[in-house]
Amino acid sequence: MTTQLTAPEKRPVATATATPAPGPARPGGPRGHRPWTPWLYLLPALVVLGGLLVYPVYQLGLISFLEYTQAQVSGGEPTSFKGFDNYTALFSDPQFRQVLLATVLFAAACVVSTLAVGCALAVLLTRVRALPRLVLMVAALGAWATPAITGSTVWVFLFDPDFGPVNRLLGLGDFSWTYGRYSAFALVLLEVVWCSFPFVMVTVYAGIRAIPGEVLEAAALDGASQWRIWRSVMAPVLRPILVVVTIQSIIWDFKLFTQIYVMTNGGGIAGQNLVLNVYAYQKAFASSQYSLGSAIGVVMLLLLLAVTLLHLRLLRRQGEEL
């Protein structure tokens, strides 16, 4: 019996492919782009914004530190530097303090009312069928797209004591809404809410639609009312959206001009319905005190800049959380 020996089978030897070591990164990034390349694309927009925004703001601040009235504009008297005298005179003026307080309170009332109406209608949109929802959305977007001066003129006609249909329907006779201070502010508030609530409604409605239906259904099965569902379930989830909408509404309502100027005929009787924007317009153009009007504009700019910075900070925080 012979034993036959066979040579062991040769297996293919895996040859390691040498991977080249990564070379030094190119200074312009993986595709050779320079760090300043995005700025080249932004340069045209920056030039336009610089001409339309930076230069007017610079002129506004410069005039607020000068003695600049009709005499200086016409060349009858030289322009002189006054420093902070215009701001001192402005803050020592009791009318300015009254107008500033009225602006803050009126803007707060507009913001609260707009948010209440917009959020209520956003919840209503989730409860109605497709056709009523479409009609409400179209009507709201129509109010949103209406120019401010057009909407203000229509509202003045609707509440006109002689020809308006609202007084007839309410049985108010020849009651003038623009005569009293608070009734005029209330009339302007209604118009501001009418043209502002669609933004809140659409934004909050989109946020509600993003909430899982199982969460709302579980809350309803637990016996929670609609108000409790909104307060305990929807509002915490929609908090980032509500914060952004609130800050944007504050910015819009604080710099209100068209509605007050059109509906109260330039600020009401004896200036009882003045807000800061209309007050600055009257100081600069009606009284030819351009330096004081510019100082009011700078004060408004600083206040709105503070709100805008808060807005950007909240947006950044929201982006980091997402």
Side-chain angles (χ1 to χ4, degrees), residues 147-258:
I149 188 170
T150 304
S152 302
T153 305
V154 172
W155 275 76
V156 169
F157 169 75
L158 292 176
F159 288 84
D160 185 84
D162 298 322
F163 306 102
V166 175
N167 281 11
R168 297 180 183 178
L169 293 176
L170 298 179
L172 297 178
D174 58 350
F175 174 75
S176 177
W177 290 81
T178 58
Y179 183 79
R181 182 186 186 191
Y182 297 106
S183 60
F185 270 130
L187 180 60
V188 178
L189 184 144
L190 291 176
E191 200 279 335
V192 171
V193 172
W194 173 76
C195 67
S196 302
F197 84 86
F199 170 74
V200 179
M201 183 189 72
V202 173
T203 306
V204 175
Y205 173 71
I208 293 176
R209 297 295 295 179
I211 300 176
E214 296 81 2
V215 177
L216 302 178
E217 184 179 357
L221 291 177
D222 289 339
S225 61
Q226 294 297 327
W227 168 247
R228 186 61 183 272
I229 292 176
W230 165 259
R231 184 171 61 89
S232 302
V233 180
M234 292 184 180
V237 177
L238 298 174
R239 184 177 292 111
I241 295 177
L242 293 175
V243 169
V244 173
V245 168
T246 301
I247 295 177
Q248 290 183 344
S249 299
I250 292 174
I251 295 174
W252 291 341
D253 295 337
F254 190 82
K255 60 184 183 65
L256 201 68
F257 176 84
T258 304

Side-chain angles (χ1 to χ4, degrees), residues 266-277:
I269 300 175
Q272 62 182 0
N273 297 112
L274 284 175
V275 292
L276 279 181
N277 232 350

